[in-house]
Amino acid sequence: MRIVLVGPPGAGKGTQAAYLAKNLSIPHISTGDLFRANISQGTPLGKQAKQFIDGGELVPDEVTIGMARDRMTQSDAVNGFLLDGFPRNVTQAKALDASLGADGLALDAVLDLEVPEDEVVKRIAGRRICRNDSAHVFHVSYNPPKTEGVCDVCGGELYQRPDDDEETVRKRLEVYHRETEPIIDHYRGQGLVVTISALGKVTDVTERAMEALKRDAAA
Ligand code: AMP
């Protein structure tokens, strides 16, 4: 299956993508994670992306589309993938459509995670992520680790993403509404959008998502 996950920052895309990718046996491809890996390794791409990420802006399309395409053409992605954070605007969506189309492929579904804005802000403010694996996500009040600052899963150090501060979150939300939301209409025109509520327990949201994808595949 080839799936795109959309939703505002804090909707739980990364958390859900990790579970869904495992359930569906496809790789989880997160452009945010790819950028953060490049930044921590100090690559030229990371240096280019950092200023945009720190400001809550989108990294330019020329950089992002090439990076996403490279990752999608790796051998583990031949039978499908779950895209998290890409595409993030209509230009990227059209580039993705064209590059899949050139290989005779197409997306199967666009899973839209819906969550009210006040919930998003609360979720992001308390979010703590493991340095070893970005799928290990905690929240200081909703899902606290057993030991403060330490990942329950692997013992890694938990940190707050630098772009999770309030001012940058507001900027990211504004960018989401302006740039990313229009891709939902773009894909609605192709009959691909499946919307679910991202409220409630992580496992309930995963179950809801799996059922919605199954219903969609059967339709
Ligand atoms: P995320 O981890 O998906 O929240 O992404 C973190 C940041 O990486 C975003 O706020 C953007 O600055 C950048 N980023 C991630 N994916 C994209 C994309 N598809 N296009 C442009 N910028 C992106």
Side-chain angles (χ1 to χ4, degrees):
M1 273 191 115
R2 291 178 179 81
I3 303 170
V4 166
L5 205 54
V6 287
K13 292 190 296 298
T15 307
Q16 288 306 324
Y19 287 111
L20 292 172
K22 200 165 166 219
N23 282 347
L24 297 165
S25 306
I26 47 178
H28 165 204
I29 299 180
S30 155
T31 40
D33 283 352
L34 292 173
F35 284 131
R36 282 184 286 278
N38 274 279
I39 291 171
S40 66
Q41 288 156 19
T43 68
L45 190 146
K47 284 185 188 128
Q48 238 178 320
K50 190 176 182 330
Q51 52 171 319
F52 297 100
I53 295 179
D54 287 350
E57 300 279 359
L58 295 187
V59 178
D61 291 337
E62 313 83 80
V63 180
T64 308
I65 292 169
M67 179 185 76
R69 199 176 276 150
D70 281 352
R71 178 63 189 87
M72 277 184 276
T73 51
Q74 284 174 20
S75 60
D76 63 338
V78 285
N79 293 320
F81 46 69
L82 181 61
L83 294 178
D84 158 15
F86 181 86
R88 235 178 172 102
N89 61 26
V90 173
T91 305
Q92 294 180 9
K94 287 183 176 165
L96 175 63
D97 292 349
S99 106
L100 288 174
D103 293 331
L105 303 170
L107 292 173
D108 294 291
V110 173
L111 185 66
D112 168 30
L113 297 183
E114 225 174 30
V115 57
E117 194 135 324
D118 54 345
E119 177 68 16
V120 158
V121 175
K122 273 190 260 168
R123 283 186 185 190
I124 296 187
R127 175 158 78 173
R128 299 291 181 272
I129 298 170
C130 176
R131 287 212 188 269
N132 294 339
D133 187 337
S134 64
H136 303 164
V137 184
F138 298 83
H139 188 283
V140 289
S141 351
Y142 301 156
N143 176 29
K146 289 194 187 87
T147 309
E148 200 189 318
V150 181
C151 176
D152 287 357
V153 185
C154 70
E157 183 201 349
L158 298 181
Y159 78 111
Q160 181 170 32
R161 270 173 48 174
D163 59 343
D164 275 356
D165 70 283
E166 202 180 318
E167 195 193 332
T168 315
V169 168
R170 272 185 219 292
K171 180 77 202 169
R172 286 162 60 203
L173 278 167
E174 183 195 312
V175 169
Y176 176 76
H177 292 310
R178 193 181 63 234
E179 302 278 336
T180 309
E181 258 177 359
I183 75 170
I184 299 176
D185 273 342
H186 170 84
Y187 285 127
R188 203 167 270 135
Q190 300 178 17
L192 289 172
V193 178
V194 180
T195 301
I196 61 158
S197 162
L199 289 178
K201 284 202 313 203
V202 169
T203 47
D204 291 347
V205 179
T206 311
E207 215 170 284
R208 220 174 280 153
M210 286 300 290
E211 268 165 26
L213 290 172
K214 256 187 247 158
R215 262 200 315 273
D216 185 64

